[in-house]
Amino acid sequence: MSATAQPISNVATASAITKPPLKIFRNLQSKIALTPMMATVIVVFIGCSIWTIVYSLTSSRILPTSNFAKDFVGIDQYTRLFTSSRWQLSVRNLFVFSIFSLAFTFVLGFLLAVFMDQKIRFENTFRTIFLYPFALSFIITGIVWAWALNPAFGLQKSVRDLGWTNFTFDWIANRQMVVYSLVIAAVWQGTGLMMALMLAGLRGIDDEIWKASRVDGIPKWRTYWSIIIPMMRPVFITALVLFAAGAVRTYDLVVAMTGGGPGLSSQFPTVYVYEFMFVSNLAQGLAASSVLLAAVAIIVIPWAFYEFGQKKS
Amino acid sequence: MSSTALAIDPTGPRPIRRFAPSRIFIYAVLIISAIYFLIPLYIMISTSLKGLEEVRLGNIFSLPMHITFDAWDKAWNKACTGLECLGMHTNFWNSVKITVPSVIVSIAIGAVNGYALANWRFKGSEFFFIILLVGSFVPYQVMIYPLVLLTSKMGIYSTLWAVIMIHSIFGMPVLTLLFRNYFASLPAELFKAARVDGAGFWGVFFKIMLPMSLPIFTVALILQVTGIWNDFLFGVIFAGPTNYPMTVKLNNIVNSIQGVREYNVNMAATILTGLVPLTIYFVSGRLFVRGIAAGAVKG
């Protein structure tokens, strides 16, 4: 960072030798060019988030309250939120979904990347096949997997037609298991991206390390376990943060695949937010989305410090 | 020492034996994985080519006995959502009308941002950039209601303008990052030489930086076209029913509960919706991977 900043400031001072301009006019063009970005940061990323938190402290119902002082209710919406069984179920679903989809995507993505890194033939073909789901909308993924897992037509029926008439695979229609059917779809969609990230990480590792470990006669799996995996920690952390923050956002997939059902059994926090925000109780929806904000902050802020903090030193 | 020993090692790099058990294992794993990833695509295509009776009787893995494009015709021209039976074709054009301007505006803003941040930093510019990046992780739901208010105050809520604006806003973090890293990687001498020749902020941008950035523009284009085409949430909230993009229409067709569920039409509609991003993906290949990797990996 500072390496590139150095020559630029030299240029700036060189041209400014004649007459030192007022501080605010320094780099004026750049400031004008970045106005849309700064406005977006202030109005949208900061302003809208604060607005949401502030109005989650009111009793706004269909529309935001016009008399803030009168409708201020403190943390009532949050108390209601955390005692709501529907919200508790949503959070539980999100946890199960995130942990399982993350674990499977991570392990499968890494293993595929390792296999792809063995100087195999048709590497491009395999990569294309593994990654194409990522090019598709979550809506498409949800619809296709809902169809493939539909007990009356899909996998269950096909296996029964083969002769195993007692075979049961009805996760998508089963209240206890429906969240795992979402995991299947999410893993299908995300593993290719994970593989691409991991493969880029593996390719970034110096060949000398492989040579050295071969000279020392260390078996390949040991090299991976004791040398390569520890070296790939930054890639792992980035991928985990990325996918974890993505999991908190999961919305389209649920809408398309299960619609939050059967009953309310595949409710997700985002679905809860949407339904309260636009249907029945605005402030409740705002409170729920503020909790999502906090959840993401817990994931992202430590990572941001880790990422950006190190570079400064 | 050990590296020189390796260089004169008489055996050289060990040749790969094609039929060694470990090689067979590797290929077996890769092929099985490939089949798992391809099954849904196969189900989509084969179901869409079947007639409705065949769909109801046969299983989803069987090949169509009589290939028919009726489902495709119906999906495009007259598939229903509730009482309305207009098919996907108007929504295809809605998606085009949303995607084209959104891509142009968001890339233009992203390129200027990236250029300014890479070459013309000022006090606080990096601070805004970091907030922008961290903010891109925040679930959209947190910001969406105030944005609905904002766009309706501006009088553009439920119009194409609103979706275009929202896509430009939320495309900003990734695109700014992409362009900033790219412009920072160009040799600083170029910038200095142009400055010495008297080029200003925009002069350097248009005469030096832009002509050199075709590769990164292509990557940004792929990233944005696929991302915006696949969007659902912004379309459903900001576009308004007459402007619904294809993804929203698709979901409405599949999840409208009236009458018989026509799975073959649903699958045809799904393929039609996925055709644009899939085509881009297959044509652009490595560039797509570069785009998502650049969008995913840190600055």
Side-chain angles (χ1 to χ4, degrees):
Chain A
M1 256 185 208
S2 55
T4 48
Q6 213 56 48
I8 294 159
S9 55
N10 282 346
V11 175
T13 43
S15 62
I17 279 169
T18 41
K19 196 175 114 204
L22 279 171
K23 212 172 180 184
I24 190 121
F25 292 122
R26 211 173 286 161
N27 266 345
L28 185 63
Q29 296 282 3
S30 177
K31 282 172 185 164
I32 293 169
L34 286 178
T35 310
M37 182 192 96
M38 294 188 285
T40 301
V41 167
I42 294 168
V43 175
V44 179
F45 288 98
I46 298 176
C48 289
S49 303
I50 291 175
W51 189 96
T52 294
I53 295 169
V54 168
Y55 277 83
S56 73
L57 302 174
T58 68
S59 59
S60 307
R61 294 204 62 88
I62 303 292
L63 291 169
T65 176
S66 50
N67 187 342
F68 190 84
K70 190 174 125 279
D71 290 329
F72 180 81
V73 295
I75 58 160
D76 277 12
Q77 298 290 358
Y78 293 88
T79 338
R80 197 184 139 192
L81 183 70
F82 287 114
T83 51
S84 145
S85 61
R86 191 171 161 189
W87 174 257
Q88 289 166 2
L89 180 63
S90 308
V91 171
R92 199 159 61 231
N93 280 340
L94 177 61
F95 265 105
V96 173
F97 173 84
S98 308
I99 289 167
F100 278 89
S101 59
L102 214 76
F104 278 104
T105 310
F106 193 87
V107 173
L108 284 177
F110 180 70
L111 288 179
L112 284 180
V114 168
F115 284 127
M116 293 279 282
D117 202 30
Q118 306 303 313
K119 300 189 175 65
I120 53 149
R121 300 182 71 189
F122 309 115
E123 188 191 319
N124 283 344
T125 314
F126 280 118
R127 201 200 52 223
T128 307
I129 292 171
F130 297 152
L131 200 55
Y132 88 90
F134 187 75
L136 295 171
S137 168
F138 269 118
I139 296 291
I140 295 179
T141 303
I143 289 169
V144 176
W145 279 99
W147 171 231
L149 299 179
N150 181 326
F153 298 96
L155 202 64
Q156 174 176 304
K157 179 177 188 294
S158 309
V159 177
R160 286 185 181 181
D161 285 352
L162 290 173
W164 287 281
T165 47
N166 289 325
F167 178 79
T168 308
F169 190 73
D170 62 348
W171 286 6
I172 198 165
N174 180 325
R175 284 163 178 274
Q176 261 74 51
M177 301 304 285
V178 64
V179 72
Y180 298 97
S181 62
L182 291 166
V183 170
I184 295 177
V187 170
W188 180 77
Q189 168 114 9
T191 302
L193 173 64
M194 186 66 91
M195 183 222 52
L197 294 177
M198 300 282 186
L199 192 57
L202 285 175
R203 297 269 154 93
I205 284 170
D206 198 341
D207 255 0
E208 295 296 318
I209 287 164
W210 279 112
K211 282 183 193 162
S213 85
R214 211 158 61 207
V215 168
D216 291 345
I218 301 166
K220 221 167 189 178
W221 68 269
R222 266 235 59 145
T223 313
Y224 272 112
W225 184 254
S226 324
I227 301 170
I228 306 296
I229 289 181
M231 281 182 76
M232 280 181 61
R233 210 178 64 171
V235 180
F236 288 165
I237 289 174
T238 305
L240 282 177
V241 169
L242 210 68
F243 277 75
V248 176
R249 272 188 197 173
T250 308
Y251 175 74
D252 306 9
L253 184 68
V254 184
V255 168
M257 196 163 162
T258 67
L264 292 174
S265 54
S266 60
Q267 288 291 303
F268 267 60
T270 47
V271 179
Y272 186 97
V273 168
Y274 188 90
E275 296 205 343
F276 277 91
M277 206 180 259
F278 291 104
V279 182
S280 56
N281 186 331
L282 175 63
Q284 180 68 40
L286 295 175
S289 63
S290 305
V291 173
L292 290 185
L293 176 64
V296 170
I298 290 169
I299 301 171
V300 172
I301 288 177
W303 169 78
F305 271 104
Y306 173 83
E307 273 295 316
F308 300 110
Q310 274 186 339
K311 276 182 192 162
K312 278 190 186 118
S313 60
Chain B
M1 268 259 265
S2 60
S3 66
T4 46
L6 190 80
I8 54 163
D9 189 344
T11 56
R14 201 186 305 165
I16 296 164
R17 283 198 296 145
R18 191 162 293 172
F19 294 109
S22 65
R23 300 300 289 174
I24 293 171
F25 177 70
I26 288 170
Y27 282 107
V29 169
L30 289 175
I31 289 168
I32 291 168
S33 313
I35 292 170
Y36 163 70
F37 281 102
L38 284 173
I39 280 175
L41 188 65
Y42 166 74
I43 293 174
M44 278 157 91
I45 295 170
S46 70
T47 307
S48 75
L49 296 174
K50 291 173 182 172
L52 195 55
E53 295 96 81
E54 207 188 320
V55 170
R56 265 188 251 137
L57 293 175
N59 73 48
I60 54 170
F61 294 106
S62 62
L63 278 166
M65 286 181 284
H66 311 284
I67 289 180
T68 162
F69 285 91
D70 288 357
W72 288 63
D73 175 48
K74 188 162 185 194
W76 184 251
N77 290 312
K78 45 187 190 290
C80 302
T81 56
L83 297 172
E84 213 180 43
C85 293
L86 296 170
M88 309 279 296
H89 65 282
T90 49
N91 304 89
F92 171 83
W93 292 111
N94 285 346
S95 279
V96 173
K97 278 187 252 172
I98 291 170
T99 305
V100 172
S102 302
V103 167
I104 294 172
V105 173
S106 61
I107 291 182
I109 295 177
V112 172
N113 284 351
Y115 163 66
L117 286 171
N119 294 319
W120 300 84
R121 283 197 205 109
F122 53 86
K123 204 162 181 251
S125 60
E126 287 291 304
F127 170 77
F128 279 103
F129 175 59
I130 289 172
I131 296 198
L132 190 74
L133 277 190
V134 172
S136 70
F137 285 97
V138 173
Y140 301 127
Q141 280 83 359
V142 177
M143 294 168 267
I144 244 169
Y145 198 90
L147 284 172
V148 168
L149 290 182
L150 203 68
T151 46
S152 62
K153 281 247 169 62
M154 293 164 75
I156 57 171
Y157 180 66
S158 251
T159 66
L160 291 173
W161 296 108
V163 224
I164 293 165
M165 187 181 113
I166 298 298
H167 279 305
S168 307
I169 286 174
F170 287 110
M172 216 182 274
V174 163
L175 291 174
T176 303
L177 175 71
L178 197 69
F179 281 102
R180 173 185 169 275
N181 289 354
Y182 182 79
F183 289 131
S185 74
L186 295 177
E189 284 70 29
L190 275 171
F191 178 82
K192 279 192 249 173
R195 291 289 292 136
V196 170
D197 288 347
F201 184 88
W202 296 109
V204 177
F205 182 63
F206 285 110
K207 294 201 185 101
I208 312 290
M209 296 298 177
L210 276 196
M212 296 188 66
S213 34
L214 187 67
I216 205 69
F217 268 96
T218 319
V219 167
L221 190 75
I222 293 164
L223 193 70
Q224 283 303 84
V225 173
T226 51
I228 294 170
W229 190 276
N230 286 337
D231 157 70
F232 172 80
L233 187 67
F234 298 147
V236 83
I237 291 177
F238 291 97
T242 48
N243 301 315
Y244 276 161
M246 256 185 139
T247 46
V248 177
K249 179 70 161 223
L250 171 68
N251 186 55
N252 290 349
I253 288 175
V254 172
N255 290 320
S256 69
I257 331 168
Q258 285 173 334
V260 192
R261 289 214 173 194
E262 299 175 297
Y263 291 104
N264 52 350
V265 177
N266 292 351
M267 286 302 115
T270 310
I271 297 173
L272 286 170
T273 309
L275 226 43
V276 168
L278 276 185
T279 308
I280 290 174
Y281 173 63
F282 286 121
V283 171
S284 69
R286 274 173 192 284
L287 283 174
F288 180 88
V289 184
R290 262 193 72 193
I292 58 157
V297 187
K298 67 259 153 90

